[in-house]
Amino acid sequence: MMASTREDLDPGALTAPARGRLRELLDQPIATFWILLAATAALVGIGLMMVLSASSVFDFTQSGSSFGTARGQLIALAATIPLAVVAMLLPPTGWRRLAYLVMVVALGSQFLPLVPGLGVSAGGNSGWISLGFTTLQPAEFAKFGLALWLGFVVGHQRQRLSTWKGFLFPVGGFLLMLGVIMVSSEDLGTAMIVVLLGLGAFFAAGTPLRMLIGLVSVLAAGVLFFVLTSPNRMHRIQSLLVGADDPAHDPMGTHWQTNHGLFALASGGWTGKGLGASREKWGWLPAAHNDYIFAIIGEELGFIGTLLVVLLFALLAYGMFRLIARSQDMFIKVTTAAVLTWVVGQAAINIGVVANLLPVIGVPLPLVSAGGSAMMSTCLALAMVMSFALHEAGGRAALTGYLSRARGAVDISARRARKRESTPS
């Protein structure tokens, strides 16, 4: 028997070809596009599966059918896919031209919930509008509009952001949108996500630290005002600070949702109880298919399932960081940074709430939680970012090559199948 050489036993030598292949794949001009597309598609797929599982019991008790929420989510996805394809194919110049139009439409839509007979309340928030056959939440589309508008305005005024005079115009528009959202919908959670989105855009544009601190101070004062003037929000913060075991705060009342979310996560263990086997969704955990769907993932798919979701969001963040680092276009950098802080920041807040690290805020898990408006706006924003990645140098040509090879493989398979059918046995 031939003795193994030291190089044969060296793990580094064994993994060097794999590392080289990975580096080769990442160096391709279309790699960022595939990363973003794969992470988005995987999260949407997990979301559809978990929405069906988490909402089945609730839907059955309400209507006698277990598929109402999942059907609505699937219909929303079917309506989103063609729009997302168009968004991916639209070049960055096209997005620049649409920036102000999208911003005006998004801002104007925030007043629709105030129209009598059109606005409806859901989950304690009044930021919904009824279209008869479905409902929409305009604030979700405001995030998309604001990300695009900030990318255009802040990206083009980067040099002026070093002075207060040049900083006031984009900040004023940003605060106007934020104020309209907070006043019209009374949804502090959505407003906080918009804050993250704006800070990401200003940071990517290289705004001086003193101005960022001033902006954060103004926004923090606004958030503090809305918290102090709301007994419900104060109660949530007190519950987090005091702890769920204090009998004075009724652990199974004030802490009911938080406790049952933790019960779900803890009972799932490493591998979970199995898909569809959740006990908490049987009326114990409120908003099981919305804000607390991450808890159901932990219960049914275990730590491995929750880790997979976290890793997919990390992959999404990596893809957008990659795009920001590689692009020389300030519009693309700022817009992508806004979408990054929106989607990944909202995911972090949602997971922090479920894990009892943050007070109950009421924001869904992007791409995963039930909600057609949220899924559509998030998918469109990510499709816009994918269009930026697709239009990097050599990106369109690389995609055309992939599609040509795929079409050729399909044609060859079809010819072989026809040949086998025509060959006498």
Side-chain angles (χ1 to χ4, degrees):
M1 180 180 293
M2 182 178 296
S4 298
T5 64
R6 185 169 183 176
E7 287 77 8
D8 293 334
L9 299 177
D10 183 8
L14 292 174
T15 58
R19 290 200 304 270
R21 177 58 179 164
L22 177 61
R23 190 178 299 111
E24 180 182 342
L25 290 173
L26 292 178
D27 286 340
Q28 294 184 9
I30 202 173
T32 305
F33 171 80
W34 289 124
I35 290 171
L36 294 171
L37 181 61
T40 302
L43 285 168
V44 170
I46 292 173
L48 287 174
M49 177 179 67
M50 294 310 304
V51 165
L52 173 60
S53 176
S55 65
S56 58
V57 175
F58 174 80
D59 283 351
F60 187 80
T61 60
Q62 297 294 312
S63 63
S65 171
S66 298
F67 306 102
T69 301
R71 187 186 301 114
Q73 193 80 349
L74 190 59
I75 292 173
L77 178 62
T80 301
I81 288 176
L83 297 175
V85 171
V86 173
M88 281 190 288
L89 297 179
L90 189 66
T93 53
W95 285 113
R96 286 190 181 90
R97 295 191 186 101
L98 289 175
Y100 269 94
L101 175 62
V102 174
M103 172 64 171
V104 170
V105 172
L107 182 59
S109 68
Q110 303 313 302
F111 296 97
L112 294 179
L114 303 178
V115 178
L118 186 61
V120 294
S121 297
N125 297 325
S126 57
W128 296 81
I129 58 174
S130 175
L131 301 181
F133 61 94
T134 187
T135 57
L136 291 177
Q137 190 176 14
E140 291 295 336
F141 297 97
K143 300 173 187 176
F144 173 50
L146 185 59
L148 178 59
W149 179 79
L150 284 176
F152 179 79
V153 174
V154 176
H156 279 71
Q157 295 189 2
R158 181 173 175 240
Q159 291 79 12
R160 297 178 56 192
L161 293 178
S162 58
T163 64
W164 284 107
K165 182 178 179 181
F167 185 59
L168 286 178
F169 172 65
V171 171
F174 166 63
L175 292 176
L176 174 62
M177 172 71 88
L178 178 60
V180 170
I181 292 172
M182 295 179 71
V183 172
S184 64
S185 66
E186 300 179 6
D187 186 356
L188 187 59
T190 298
M192 292 179 67
I193 301 303
V194 171
V195 168
L196 282 177
L197 182 156
L199 291 178
F202 288 116
F203 181 81
T207 305
L209 184 60
R210 69 182 187 281
M211 296 183 179
L212 283 178
I213 293 175
L215 177 60
V216 170
S217 300
V218 173
L219 294 174
V223 170
L224 183 61
F225 171 78
F226 278 93
V227 169
L228 294 177
T229 55
S230 171
N232 180 44
R233 297 185 184 114
M234 285 298 297
H235 211 134
R236 294 180 184 183
I237 294 176
Q238 289 172 0
S239 299
L240 176 69
L241 297 177
V242 172
D245 296 327
D246 188 344
H249 279 75
D250 186 12
M252 299 312 291
T254 302
H255 300 278
W256 179 278
Q257 189 175 32
T258 299
N259 283 347
H260 282 277
L262 293 175
F263 294 161
L265 288 174
S267 62
W270 285 95
T271 57
K273 296 179 179 296
L275 187 62
S278 167
R279 297 177 182 176
E280 293 295 332
K281 69 183 180 184
W282 287 79
W284 295 102
L285 178 61
H289 56 287
N290 291 320
D291 300 345
Y292 269 75
I293 198 169
F294 189 75
I296 303 300
I297 294 174
E299 185 180 11
E300 294 189 350
L301 304 181
F303 175 77
I304 294 176
T306 58
L307 180 62
L308 174 61
V309 171
V310 171
L311 289 177
L312 286 172
F313 278 109
L315 183 62
L316 204 58
Y318 168 72
M320 286 188 273
F321 271 123
R322 214 179 118 90
L323 178 60
I324 293 171
R326 290 163 61 93
S327 177
Q328 302 300 317
D329 190 326
M330 188 54 61
F331 165 70
I332 292 177
K333 284 179 176 288
V334 174
T335 306
T336 303
V339 176
L340 168 62
T341 50
W342 157 21
V343 177
V344 179
Q346 181 170 323
I349 289 175
N350 177 275
I351 294 171
V353 168
V354 174
N356 200 30
L357 299 175
L358 295 171
V360 178
I361 296 174
V363 294
L365 187 61
L367 303 174
V368 180
S369 292
S373 299
M375 183 182 65
M376 181 176 287
S377 64
T378 307
C379 284
L380 290 177
L382 290 172
M384 175 180 64
V385 174
M386 290 179 210
S387 78
F388 299 158
L390 186 60
H391 286 84
E392 286 187 301
R396 289 292 295 271
L399 180 61
T400 302
Y402 277 115
L403 294 178
S404 299
R405 288 193 292 272
R407 191 181 302 112
V410 171
D411 291 341
I412 292 173
S413 300
R415 286 197 298 269
R416 288 177 178 174
R418 288 194 296 268
K419 185 177 181 180
R420 285 195 299 268
E421 291 175 356
S422 61
T423 302
S425 57

